[in-house]
Amino acid sequence: MSKERNVLFVADLHAPWILDGYLDWCKEQEEKYKCNRVIFSGDILDGGSWNYHEQNPDGMGIKDELYAAKKQLKQVYKLFPKAISLMGNHDLLISRKAKTGGLSQEFIKPFKQVVDAPKEWRFVHEYRIDNVLYKHG
């Protein structure tokens, strides 16, 4: 017999552009509804500085965006030390850009390392629990 689960499903973060107050609101919902599983919908990173669209010459550079995102994600990990995160299209941009540049995936480190995620976080393309399939997009 499966144990009843209350899942907190957190929408795309797009770090470093996480809306002020959003994480605290999510934590309040987790406590209010006694959630015992946390799933992030993907797009943990935004990647605006390394996507395929025309770049803003006055915008944040790649390194600065990644460092700002990692700094913001520290708060996410503190509030939600254990979670499943789906791999969103923005998260997969790193791998896609390497492929476009002709680089083997052997040169790319795991996404979990890129975002300095704790060991209790899992990054997956899809996740099924209680006959519900969670998948980005």
Side-chain angles (χ1 to χ4, degrees):
M1 185 170 187
S2 74
K3 182 180 175 183
E4 183 180 338
R5 295 182 187 101
N6 288 338
V7 175
L8 175 68
F9 190 66
V10 181
D12 304 17
L13 296 179
H14 286 275
W17 315 115
I18 301 172
L19 185 65
D20 287 341
Y22 179 63
L23 295 174
D24 292 330
W25 182 85
C26 289
K27 189 65 179 178
E28 289 170 14
Q29 303 317 300
E30 179 189 36
E31 293 167 359
K32 178 179 178 179
Y33 293 102
K34 298 176 176 69
C35 298
N36 51 17
R37 187 70 51 109
V38 179
I39 301 175
F40 286 83
S41 66
D43 288 351
I44 297 297
L45 294 179
D46 186 70
S49 62
W50 59 80
N51 65 30
Y52 286 94
H53 302 291
E54 190 173 276
Q55 299 301 306
N56 179 354
D58 298 321
M60 194 180 285
I62 294 171
K63 184 177 178 180
D64 291 335
E65 181 179 345
L66 180 58
Y67 284 10
K70 288 163 78 165
K71 182 178 178 181
Q72 210 175 41
L73 288 170
K74 284 180 184 181
Q75 182 186 10
V76 176
Y77 304 145
K78 185 177 178 181
L79 290 171
F80 305 101
K82 183 177 181 182
I84 301 291
S85 183
L86 302 170
M87 292 296 291
N89 56 309
H90 287 243
D91 304 324
L92 295 168
L93 275 170
I94 299 164
S95 178
R96 287 183 53 218
K97 289 291 274 200
K99 193 176 194 179
T100 298
L103 291 176
S104 165
Q105 294 300 301
E106 295 293 319
F107 289 102
I108 306 302
K109 62 183 173 180
F111 186 74
K112 183 174 187 164
Q113 279 184 278
V114 172
V115 296
D116 295 336
K119 67 178 183 161
E120 295 83 8
W121 271 56
R122 286 182 45 210
F123 291 87
V124 297
H125 291 278
E126 58 183 44
Y127 188 73
R128 184 180 299 273
I129 184 170
D130 296 332
N131 284 327
V132 177
L133 177 64
Y134 296 88
K135 189 173 179 176
H136 184 84

